[in-house]
Amino acid sequence: MLEGPTVQSAPSSPPPGAPAPPTVLIVDDEKNIRRTLQLVLEGDGYRVIGAETAGAGLQVLASPETPVDLLVLDVQLPDMSGLEALAKIHTDEATRDLPIIVISGHATVNDAVQAIKLGASDFFEKPLARERVLVSVRNVIHAARAHRELARVTEQQLQRYEMIGRTPALQRLFHEIEKVAPTKASVLITGESGTGKELIARAIHRLSPRIDGPFVKVNCAAIPRELIESELFGHERGAFTGALLRRRGLFEQAHSGTLFLDEIGDMDIVAQAKVLRAVQAGEVSRVGSEHVIHVDVRVLAATNKDLAKGVESGTFREDLYFRLAVFPIRSPTLRERVDDIPLLVHAFMEQFARENGTRPKPIDDAVMHALITRKWPGNVRELKNAVERSAILSGDRVTVADLPEDPHASPFEEEADDVSSGPDSGDDDAALDAPRVTTPTPALATAPSGKPFTLREHRERSERSYIVETLRATGWNISRTAILLGVERTNLHKKIRAYQIQRGER
């Protein structure tokens, strides 16, 4: 009789608040091997689960109730080869990163080579050496945890530079970014303050062939006029008072990567000439040196000013303007993407909670309505500040009382005149004869029941639709979709299951 999966827990539970011990799944048809490994691993503080067949082991891995940190897998199993099971596990998105140690009593060199090729972390021949097994298990679990932590931190950084939204204005922006990113073209990003021009620049860099190179940002408005050349091109020792050491400029630091010139409209006219030379010829000279340095840099620039007017007034070089604006991109204002506000609010609330080690707070519908109807001259940056302030001031949930006062609201509220109470309303017949002005009621999307969708239902429908659109755009590549959506891959898998999304659907 085949033995099903049996759970054998560590003899003692961890103290309250302590992290749970790592869980090791042992798949081997020899009961004595499972029992021996269980005693050795439990003695070292691990929790052990045993299974006699590959099928039983796969059932354990598929169960969300028993997360496994490490799999010890025998090659010879009753129902399938351990190498077949290894290939199956590492091609499944949910378990492809699971560390696996392969063991065998009839090992061949070919088995060991094949196991390593399929992604095994280690390979042991029976009989197993106790100390070697323990050392390998410790090292493999530690390496896997370090890898997950690195992936988590990397994904958090990507999320910080991710743009969120699905309105037509943002979809057009995404389309432009994807078109220009793989090229070498210079890009001029224009738009109001707070619209996310730096996010656009980072997205272009991230989707370009230069992703492994540096992304160097310089705020041209924040550097004094007398220091801008030194910052951009570097200087030699003794080039000016205070230049005690040779210094590499930002163009050199961005070699093989991307240089983002933010607020380019505030750059001094003299420095503009040197920037033009660097962009055109890929050559820079440090202050105090005549030596030419060749650099391979892609230049992205951004401004909230009208550079065309700057060219007319003589404050901005025309040749530099046309050199930078090979591919112009305009960052849309928040007024153009009001329907993205709910998504942005929830994203900012989750980011704030993540950075401060708390849970995201629920947001009242009245709060969302107030945020949607507000004017946001500071655009997305102003909205983010309002959400963070509300999160700090609120209790268990965010209410209207927690919102900061709208600094742009008029102190007086004006009521619309009623057609029957105007200045000439004394004549009732005239009032009746006057044309009545009616405001059309917007058509509301309705559920199958005939009732309008709630805000939550509408949000879920929109989220499902956007996930499907992104999956289609990436050719149903889960990893790339997760990066573009700014979520962890495991969370994306959960959403796909929750929304019952099928591959290939439209």
Side-chain angles (χ1 to χ4, degrees), residues 213-216 230-232 234 247-259 295 297:
F215 179 91
V216 178
S230 173
E231 288 291 321
L232 291 176
R247 184 181 185 280
R248 295 169 64 237
L250 297 175
F251 267 92
E252 287 184 71
Q253 294 177 35
H255 180 70
S256 77
T258 302
L259 179 65
V295 291
V297 174

mmCIF file with all atom_site columns, all heavy atoms in Angstrom, residues 213-216 230-232 234 247-259 295 297:
data_model
loop_
_atom_site.group_PDB
_atom_site.id
_atom_site.type_symbol
_atom_site.label_atom_id
_atom_site.label_alt_id
_atom_site.label_comp_id
_atom_site.label_asym_id
_atom_site.label_entity_id
_atom_site.label_seq_id
_atom_site.pdbx_PDB_ins_code
_atom_site.Cartn_x
_atom_site.Cartn_y
_atom_site.Cartn_z
_atom_site.occupancy
_atom_site.B_iso_or_equiv
_atom_site.pdbx_formal_charge
_atom_site.auth_seq_id
_atom_site.auth_comp_id
_atom_site.auth_asym_id
_atom_site.auth_atom_id
_atom_site.pdbx_PDB_model_num
ATOM 1   N N   . GLY A 1 213 ? 23.419 49.234 -16.963 1.00 0.00 ? 213 GLY A N   1
ATOM 2   C CA  . GLY A 1 213 ? 24.294 50.377 -16.739 1.00 0.00 ? 213 GLY A CA  1
ATOM 3   C C   . GLY A 1 213 ? 23.714 51.317 -15.695 1.00 0.00 ? 213 GLY A C   1
ATOM 4   O O   . GLY A 1 213 ? 22.576 51.155 -15.246 1.00 0.00 ? 213 GLY A O   1
ATOM 5   N N   . PRO A 1 214 ? 24.469 52.342 -15.294 1.00 0.00 ? 214 PRO A N   1
ATOM 6   C CA  . PRO A 1 214 ? 23.983 53.262 -14.255 1.00 0.00 ? 214 PRO A CA  1
ATOM 7   C C   . PRO A 1 214 ? 22.892 54.202 -14.761 1.00 0.00 ? 214 PRO A C   1
ATOM 8   O O   . PRO A 1 214 ? 22.827 54.514 -15.953 1.00 0.00 ? 214 PRO A O   1
ATOM 9   C CB  . PRO A 1 214 ? 25.246 54.050 -13.869 1.00 0.00 ? 214 PRO A CB  1
ATOM 10  C CG  . PRO A 1 214 ? 26.102 53.993 -15.096 1.00 0.00 ? 214 PRO A CG  1
ATOM 11  C CD  . PRO A 1 214 ? 25.838 52.666 -15.733 1.00 0.00 ? 214 PRO A CD  1
ATOM 12  N N   . PHE A 1 215 ? 22.033 54.603 -13.840 1.00 0.00 ? 215 PHE A N   1
ATOM 13  C CA  . PHE A 1 215 ? 21.066 55.675 -14.091 1.00 0.00 ? 215 PHE A CA  1
ATOM 14  C C   . PHE A 1 215 ? 21.483 56.829 -13.189 1.00 0.00 ? 215 PHE A C   1
ATOM 15  O O   . PHE A 1 215 ? 21.393 56.743 -11.967 1.00 0.00 ? 215 PHE A O   1
ATOM 16  C CB  . PHE A 1 215 ? 19.639 55.227 -13.766 1.00 0.00 ? 215 PHE A CB  1
ATOM 17  C CG  . PHE A 1 215 ? 18.601 56.300 -13.986 1.00 0.00 ? 215 PHE A CG  1
ATOM 18  C CD1 . PHE A 1 215 ? 17.957 56.438 -15.211 1.00 0.00 ? 215 PHE A CD1 1
ATOM 19  C CD2 . PHE A 1 215 ? 18.266 57.181 -12.966 1.00 0.00 ? 215 PHE A CD2 1
ATOM 20  C CE1 . PHE A 1 215 ? 16.998 57.427 -15.409 1.00 0.00 ? 215 PHE A CE1 1
ATOM 21  C CE2 . PHE A 1 215 ? 17.314 58.175 -13.154 1.00 0.00 ? 215 PHE A CE2 1
ATOM 22  C CZ  . PHE A 1 215 ? 16.681 58.293 -14.384 1.00 0.00 ? 215 PHE A CZ  1
ATOM 23  N N   . VAL A 1 216 ? 21.966 57.909 -13.805 1.00 0.00 ? 216 VAL A N   1
ATOM 24  C CA  . VAL A 1 216 ? 22.497 59.043 -13.037 1.00 0.00 ? 216 VAL A CA  1
ATOM 25  C C   . VAL A 1 216 ? 21.579 60.245 -13.241 1.00 0.00 ? 216 VAL A C   1
ATOM 26  O O   . VAL A 1 216 ? 21.326 60.659 -14.371 1.00 0.00 ? 216 VAL A O   1
ATOM 27  C CB  . VAL A 1 216 ? 23.934 59.387 -13.480 1.00 0.00 ? 216 VAL A CB  1
ATOM 28  C CG1 . VAL A 1 216 ? 24.456 60.599 -12.709 1.00 0.00 ? 216 VAL A CG1 1
ATOM 29  C CG2 . VAL A 1 216 ? 24.850 58.183 -13.273 1.00 0.00 ? 216 VAL A CG2 1
ATOM 30  N N   . SER A 1 230 ? 31.535 71.747 -13.465 1.00 0.00 ? 230 SER A N   1
ATOM 31  C CA  . SER A 1 230 ? 32.324 70.804 -12.677 1.00 0.00 ? 230 SER A CA  1
ATOM 32  C C   . SER A 1 230 ? 31.517 69.553 -12.355 1.00 0.00 ? 230 SER A C   1
ATOM 33  O O   . SER A 1 230 ? 32.039 68.439 -12.398 1.00 0.00 ? 230 SER A O   1
ATOM 34  C CB  . SER A 1 230 ? 32.804 71.471 -11.390 1.00 0.00 ? 230 SER A CB  1
ATOM 35  O OG  . SER A 1 230 ? 33.438 70.543 -10.540 1.00 0.00 ? 230 SER A OG  1
ATOM 36  N N   . GLU A 1 231 ? 30.220 69.720 -12.033 1.00 0.00 ? 231 GLU A N   1
ATOM 37  C CA  . GLU A 1 231 ? 29.364 68.578 -11.705 1.00 0.00 ? 231 GLU A CA  1
ATOM 38  C C   . GLU A 1 231 ? 29.174 67.678 -12.919 1.00 0.00 ? 231 GLU A C   1
ATOM 39  O O   . GLU A 1 231 ? 29.253 66.450 -12.828 1.00 0.00 ? 231 GLU A O   1
ATOM 40  C CB  . GLU A 1 231 ? 28.008 69.066 -11.193 1.00 0.00 ? 231 GLU A CB  1
ATOM 41  C CG  . GLU A 1 231 ? 28.041 69.664 -9.805  1.00 0.00 ? 231 GLU A CG  1
ATOM 42  C CD  . GLU A 1 231 ? 28.312 68.618 -8.737  1.00 0.00 ? 231 GLU A CD  1
ATOM 43  O OE1 . GLU A 1 231 ? 27.778 67.495 -8.852  1.00 0.00 ? 231 GLU A OE1 1
ATOM 44  O OE2 . GLU A 1 231 ? 29.077 68.911 -7.803  1.00 0.00 ? 231 GLU A OE2 1
ATOM 45  N N   . LEU A 1 232 ? 28.919 68.284 -14.071 1.00 0.00 ? 232 LEU A N   1
ATOM 46  C CA  . LEU A 1 232 ? 28.621 67.499 -15.264 1.00 0.00 ? 232 LEU A CA  1
ATOM 47  C C   . LEU A 1 232 ? 29.855 66.869 -15.886 1.00 0.00 ? 232 LEU A C   1
ATOM 48  O O   . LEU A 1 232 ? 29.823 65.708 -16.316 1.00 0.00 ? 232 LEU A O   1
ATOM 49  C CB  . LEU A 1 232 ? 27.919 68.377 -16.310 1.00 0.00 ? 232 LEU A CB  1
ATOM 50  C CG  . LEU A 1 232 ? 26.496 68.834 -15.990 1.00 0.00 ? 232 LEU A CG  1
ATOM 51  C CD1 . LEU A 1 232 ? 25.986 69.775 -17.062 1.00 0.00 ? 232 LEU A CD1 1
ATOM 52  C CD2 . LEU A 1 232 ? 25.568 67.634 -15.848 1.00 0.00 ? 232 LEU A CD2 1
ATOM 53  N N   . GLY A 1 234 ? 33.258 67.116 -14.515 1.00 0.00 ? 234 GLY A N   1
ATOM 54  C CA  . GLY A 1 234 ? 34.367 66.830 -13.628 1.00 0.00 ? 234 GLY A CA  1
ATOM 55  C C   . GLY A 1 234 ? 35.431 67.919 -13.661 1.00 0.00 ? 234 GLY A C   1
ATOM 56  O O   . GLY A 1 234 ? 35.322 68.891 -14.419 1.00 0.00 ? 234 GLY A O   1
ATOM 57  N N   . ARG A 1 247 ? 38.160 64.949 -9.962  1.00 0.00 ? 247 ARG A N   1
ATOM 58  C CA  . ARG A 1 247 ? 36.792 64.447 -9.778  1.00 0.00 ? 247 ARG A CA  1
ATOM 59  C C   . ARG A 1 247 ? 36.179 64.075 -11.123 1.00 0.00 ? 247 ARG A C   1
ATOM 60  O O   . ARG A 1 247 ? 36.261 64.830 -12.086 1.00 0.00 ? 247 ARG A O   1
ATOM 61  C CB  . ARG A 1 247 ? 35.911 65.514 -9.108  1.00 0.00 ? 247 ARG A CB  1
ATOM 62  C CG  . ARG A 1 247 ? 34.506 65.046 -8.781  1.00 0.00 ? 247 ARG A CG  1
ATOM 63  C CD  . ARG A 1 247 ? 33.705 66.176 -8.155  1.00 0.00 ? 247 ARG A CD  1
ATOM 64  N NE  . ARG A 1 247 ? 32.400 65.731 -7.728  1.00 0.00 ? 247 ARG A NE  1
ATOM 65  C CZ  . ARG A 1 247 ? 31.359 65.571 -8.548  1.00 0.00 ? 247 ARG A CZ  1
ATOM 66  N NH1 . ARG A 1 247 ? 31.489 65.833 -9.841  1.00 0.00 ? 247 ARG A NH1 1
ATOM 67  N NH2 . ARG A 1 247 ? 30.197 65.147 -8.084  1.00 0.00 ? 247 ARG A NH2 1
ATOM 68  N N   . ARG A 1 248 ? 35.584 62.892 -11.189 1.00 0.00 ? 248 ARG A N   1
ATOM 69  C CA  . ARG A 1 248 ? 34.866 62.465 -12.386 1.00 0.00 ? 248 ARG A CA  1
ATOM 70  C C   . ARG A 1 248 ? 33.506 63.144 -12.429 1.00 0.00 ? 248 ARG A C   1
ATOM 71  O O   . ARG A 1 248 ? 32.797 63.200 -11.432 1.00 0.00 ? 248 ARG A O   1
ATOM 72  C CB  . ARG A 1 248 ? 34.675 60.949 -12.400 1.00 0.00 ? 248 ARG A CB  1
ATOM 73  C CG  . ARG A 1 248 ? 35.959 60.167 -12.511 1.00 0.00 ? 248 ARG A CG  1
ATOM 74  C CD  . ARG A 1 248 ? 35.738 58.687 -12.240 1.00 0.00 ? 248 ARG A CD  1
ATOM 75  N NE  . ARG A 1 248 ? 34.872 58.083 -13.250 1.00 0.00 ? 248 ARG A NE  1
ATOM 76  C CZ  . ARG A 1 248 ? 33.744 57.445 -12.986 1.00 0.00 ? 248 ARG A CZ  1
ATOM 77  N NH1 . ARG A 1 248 ? 33.302 57.353 -11.742 1.00 0.00 ? 248 ARG A NH1 1
ATOM 78  N NH2 . ARG A 1 248 ? 33.042 56.901 -13.967 1.00 0.00 ? 248 ARG A NH2 1
ATOM 79  N N   . GLY A 1 249 ? 33.124 63.633 -13.600 1.00 0.00 ? 249 GLY A N   1
ATOM 80  C CA  . GLY A 1 249 ? 31.828 64.279 -13.749 1.00 0.00 ? 249 GLY A CA  1
ATOM 81  C C   . GLY A 1 249 ? 30.711 63.275 -13.942 1.00 0.00 ? 249 GLY A C   1
ATOM 82  O O   . GLY A 1 249 ? 30.928 62.068 -14.088 1.00 0.00 ? 249 GLY A O   1
ATOM 83  N N   . LEU A 1 250 ? 29.479 63.783 -13.947 1.00 0.00 ? 250 LEU A N   1
ATOM 84  C CA  . LEU A 1 250 ? 28.313 62.912 -14.052 1.00 0.00 ? 250 LEU A CA  1
ATOM 85  C C   . LEU A 1 250 ? 28.228 62.226 -15.410 1.00 0.00 ? 250 LEU A C   1
ATOM 86  O O   . LEU A 1 250 ? 27.709 61.116 -15.514 1.00 0.00 ? 250 LEU A O   1
ATOM 87  C CB  . LEU A 1 250 ? 27.046 63.721 -13.768 1.00 0.00 ? 250 LEU A CB  1
ATOM 88  C CG  . LEU A 1 250 ? 26.960 64.294 -12.349 1.00 0.00 ? 250 LEU A CG  1
ATOM 89  C CD1 . LEU A 1 250 ? 25.734 65.172 -12.195 1.00 0.00 ? 250 LEU A CD1 1
ATOM 90  C CD2 . LEU A 1 250 ? 26.931 63.166 -11.322 1.00 0.00 ? 250 LEU A CD2 1
ATOM 91  N N   . PHE A 1 251 ? 28.724 62.888 -16.467 1.00 0.00 ? 251 PHE A N   1
ATOM 92  C CA  . PHE A 1 251 ? 28.746 62.230 -17.767 1.00 0.00 ? 251 PHE A CA  1
ATOM 93  C C   . PHE A 1 251 ? 29.621 60.981 -17.718 1.00 0.00 ? 251 PHE A C   1
ATOM 94  O O   . PHE A 1 251 ? 29.260 59.933 -18.261 1.00 0.00 ? 251 PHE A O   1
ATOM 95  C CB  . PHE A 1 251 ? 29.251 63.192 -18.852 1.00 0.00 ? 251 PHE A CB  1
ATOM 96  C CG  . PHE A 1 251 ? 28.158 63.934 -19.568 1.00 0.00 ? 251 PHE A CG  1
ATOM 97  C CD1 . PHE A 1 251 ? 27.742 65.189 -19.115 1.00 0.00 ? 251 PHE A CD1 1
ATOM 98  C CD2 . PHE A 1 251 ? 27.533 63.395 -20.677 1.00 0.00 ? 251 PHE A CD2 1
ATOM 99  C CE1 . PHE A 1 251 ? 26.738 65.882 -19.762 1.00 0.00 ? 251 PHE A CE1 1
ATOM 100 C CE2 . PHE A 1 251 ? 26.528 64.076 -21.331 1.00 0.00 ? 251 PHE A CE2 1
ATOM 101 C CZ  . PHE A 1 251 ? 26.120 65.324 -20.877 1.00 0.00 ? 251 PHE A CZ  1
ATOM 102 N N   . GLU A 1 252 ? 30.770 61.090 -17.069 1.00 0.00 ? 252 GLU A N   1
ATOM 103 C CA  . GLU A 1 252 ? 31.654 59.920 -16.941 1.00 0.00 ? 252 GLU A CA  1
ATOM 104 C C   . GLU A 1 252 ? 31.012 58.846 -16.060 1.00 0.00 ? 252 GLU A C   1
ATOM 105 O O   . GLU A 1 252 ? 31.097 57.653 -16.348 1.00 0.00 ? 252 GLU A O   1
ATOM 106 C CB  . GLU A 1 252 ? 32.989 60.335 -16.348 1.00 0.00 ? 252 GLU A CB  1
ATOM 107 C CG  . GLU A 1 252 ? 33.896 61.110 -17.284 1.00 0.00 ? 252 GLU A CG  1
ATOM 108 C CD  . GLU A 1 252 ? 35.238 61.401 -16.642 1.00 0.00 ? 252 GLU A CD  1
ATOM 109 O OE1 . GLU A 1 252 ? 36.027 60.446 -16.468 1.00 0.00 ? 252 GLU A OE1 1
ATOM 110 O OE2 . GLU A 1 252 ? 35.497 62.573 -16.303 1.00 0.00 ? 252 GLU A OE2 1
ATOM 111 N N   . GLN A 1 253 ? 30.367 59.274 -14.987 1.00 0.00 ? 253 GLN A N   1
ATOM 112 C CA  . GLN A 1 253 ? 29.732 58.315 -14.083 1.00 0.00 ? 253 GLN A CA  1
ATOM 113 C C   . GLN A 1 253 ? 28.599 57.555 -14.763 1.00 0.00 ? 253 GLN A C   1
ATOM 114 O O   . GLN A 1 253 ? 28.273 56.430 -14.380 1.00 0.00 ? 253 GLN A O   1
ATOM 115 C CB  . GLN A 1 253 ? 29.212 59.044 -12.845 1.00 0.00 ? 253 GLN A CB  1
ATOM 116 C CG  . GLN A 1 253 ? 30.296 59.646 -11.968 1.00 0.00 ? 253 GLN A CG  1
ATOM 117 C CD  . GLN A 1 253 ? 29.733 60.421 -10.792 1.00 0.00 ? 253 GLN A CD  1
ATOM 118 O OE1 . GLN A 1 253 ? 28.697 60.049 -10.236 1.00 0.00 ? 253 GLN A OE1 1
ATOM 119 N NE2 . GLN A 1 253 ? 30.404 61.494 -10.414 1.00 0.00 ? 253 GLN A NE2 1
ATOM 120 N N   . ALA A 1 254 ? 27.978 58.190 -15.766 1.00 0.00 ? 254 ALA A N   1
ATOM 121 C CA  . ALA A 1 254 ? 26.850 57.557 -16.473 1.00 0.00 ? 254 ALA A CA  1
ATOM 122 C C   . ALA A 1 254 ? 27.297 56.744 -17.679 1.00 0.00 ? 254 ALA A C   1
ATOM 123 O O   . ALA A 1 254 ? 26.456 56.284 -18.454 1.00 0.00 ? 254 ALA A O   1
ATOM 124 C CB  . ALA A 1 254 ? 25.853 58.634 -16.913 1.00 0.00 ? 254 ALA A CB  1
ATOM 125 N N   . HIS A 1 255 ? 28.593 56.571 -17.851 1.00 0.00 ? 255 HIS A N   1
ATOM 126 C CA  . HIS A 1 255 ? 29.114 55.840 -19.013 1.00 0.00 ? 255 HIS A CA  1
ATOM 127 C C   . HIS A 1 255 ? 28.459 54.466 -19.119 1.00 0.00 ? 255 HIS A C   1
ATOM 128 O O   . HIS A 1 255 ? 28.352 53.732 -18.134 1.00 0.00 ? 255 HIS A O   1
ATOM 129 C CB  . HIS A 1 255 ? 30.630 55.683 -18.897 1.00 0.00 ? 255 HIS A CB  1
ATOM 130 C CG  . HIS A 1 255 ? 31.246 54.951 -20.047 1.00 0.00 ? 255 HIS A CG  1
ATOM 131 N ND1 . HIS A 1 255 ? 31.332 55.488 -21.310 1.00 0.00 ? 255 HIS A ND1 1
ATOM 132 C CD2 . HIS A 1 255 ? 31.791 53.705 -20.117 1.00 0.00 ? 255 HIS A CD2 1
ATOM 133 C CE1 . HIS A 1 255 ? 31.910 54.616 -22.120 1.00 0.00 ? 255 HIS A CE1 1
ATOM 134 N NE2 . HIS A 1 255 ? 32.197 53.524 -21.414 1.00 0.00 ? 255 HIS A NE2 1
ATOM 135 N N   . SER A 1 256 ? 27.997 54.109 -20.312 1.00 0.00 ? 256 SER A N   1
ATOM 136 C CA  . SER A 1 256 ? 27.296 52.868 -20.642 1.00 0.00 ? 256 SER A CA  1
ATOM 137 C C   . SER A 1 256 ? 25.877 52.826 -20.069 1.00 0.00 ? 256 SER A C   1
ATOM 138 O O   . SER A 1 256 ? 25.203 51.803 -20.161 1.00 0.00 ? 256 SER A O   1
ATOM 139 C CB  . SER A 1 256 ? 28.071 51.628 -20.177 1.00 0.00 ? 256 SER A CB  1
ATOM 140 O OG  . SER A 1 256 ? 27.942 51.432 -18.782 1.00 0.00 ? 256 SER A OG  1
ATOM 141 N N   . GLY A 1 257 ? 25.430 53.945 -19.496 1.00 0.00 ? 257 GLY A N   1
ATOM 142 C CA  . GLY A 1 257 ? 24.087 53.996 -18.935 1.00 0.00 ? 257 GLY A CA  1
ATOM 143 C C   . GLY A 1 257 ? 23.308 55.206 -19.412 1.00 0.00 ? 257 GLY A C   1
ATOM 144 O O   . GLY A 1 257 ? 23.422 55.624 -20.568 1.00 0.00 ? 257 GLY A O   1
ATOM 145 N N   . THR A 1 258 ? 22.515 55.770 -18.509 1.00 0.00 ? 258 THR A N   1
ATOM 146 C CA  . THR A 1 258 ? 21.612 56.876 -18.837 1.00 0.00 ? 258 THR A CA  1
ATOM 147 C C   . THR A 1 258 ? 21.873 58.055 -17.910 1.00 0.00 ? 258 THR A C   1
ATOM 148 O O   . THR A 1 258 ? 22.010 57.873 -16.699 1.00 0.00 ? 258 THR A O   1
ATOM 149 C CB  . THR A 1 258 ? 20.139 56.424 -18.683 1.00 0.00 ? 258 THR A CB  1
ATOM 150 O OG1 . THR A 1 258 ? 19.902 55.296 -19.530 1.00 0.00 ? 258 THR A OG1 1
ATOM 151 C CG2 . THR A 1 258 ? 19.184 57.545 -19.055 1.00 0.00 ? 258 THR A CG2 1
ATOM 152 N N   . LEU A 1 259 ? 21.928 59.256 -18.484 1.00 0.00 ? 259 LEU A N   1
ATOM 153 C CA  . LEU A 1 259 ? 22.058 60.489 -17.704 1.00 0.00 ? 259 LEU A CA  1
ATOM 154 C C   . LEU A 1 259 ? 20.749 61.250 -17.821 1.00 0.00 ? 259 LEU A C   1
ATOM 155 O O   . LEU A 1 259 ? 20.297 61.581 -18.918 1.00 0.00 ? 259 LEU A O   1
ATOM 156 C CB  . LEU A 1 259 ? 23.206 61.350 -18.227 1.00 0.00 ? 259 LEU A CB  1
ATOM 157 C CG  . LEU A 1 259 ? 23.418 62.690 -17.498 1.00 0.00 ? 259 LEU A CG  1
ATOM 158 C CD1 . LEU A 1 259 ? 23.834 62.449 -16.052 1.00 0.00 ? 259 LEU A CD1 1
ATOM 159 C CD2 . LEU A 1 259 ? 24.472 63.534 -18.212 1.00 0.00 ? 259 LEU A CD2 1
ATOM 160 N N   . VAL A 1 295 ? 32.674 59.253 -23.936 1.00 0.00 ? 295 VAL A N   1
ATOM 161 C CA  . VAL A 1 295 ? 31.666 58.638 -23.079 1.00 0.00 ? 295 VAL A CA  1
ATOM 162 C C   . VAL A 1 295 ? 30.523 58.108 -23.938 1.00 0.00 ? 295 VAL A C   1
ATOM 163 O O   . VAL A 1 295 ? 30.185 58.680 -24.977 1.00 0.00 ? 295 VAL A O   1
ATOM 164 C CB  . VAL A 1 295 ? 31.115 59.642 -22.041 1.00 0.00 ? 295 VAL A CB  1
ATOM 165 C CG1 . VAL A 1 295 ? 32.158 59.995 -21.021 1.00 0.00 ? 295 VAL A CG1 1
ATOM 166 C CG2 . VAL A 1 295 ? 30.562 60.892 -22.716 1.00 0.00 ? 295 VAL A CG2 1
ATOM 167 N N   . VAL A 1 297 ? 26.833 57.640 -23.448 1.00 0.00 ? 297 VAL A N   1
ATOM 168 C CA  . VAL A 1 297 ? 25.748 58.011 -22.533 1.00 0.00 ? 297 VAL A CA  1
ATOM 169 C C   . VAL A 1 297 ? 24.490 58.324 -23.329 1.00 0.00 ? 297 VAL A C   1
ATOM 170 O O   . VAL A 1 297 ? 24.545 59.013 -24.347 1.00 0.00 ? 297 VAL A O   1
ATOM 171 C CB  . VAL A 1 297 ? 26.139 59.254 -21.689 1.00 0.00 ? 297 VAL A CB  1
ATOM 172 C CG1 . VAL A 1 297 ? 24.960 59.720 -20.840 1.00 0.00 ? 297 VAL A CG1 1
ATOM 173 C CG2 . VAL A 1 297 ? 27.325 58.933 -20.788 1.00 0.00 ? 297 VAL A CG2 1
#
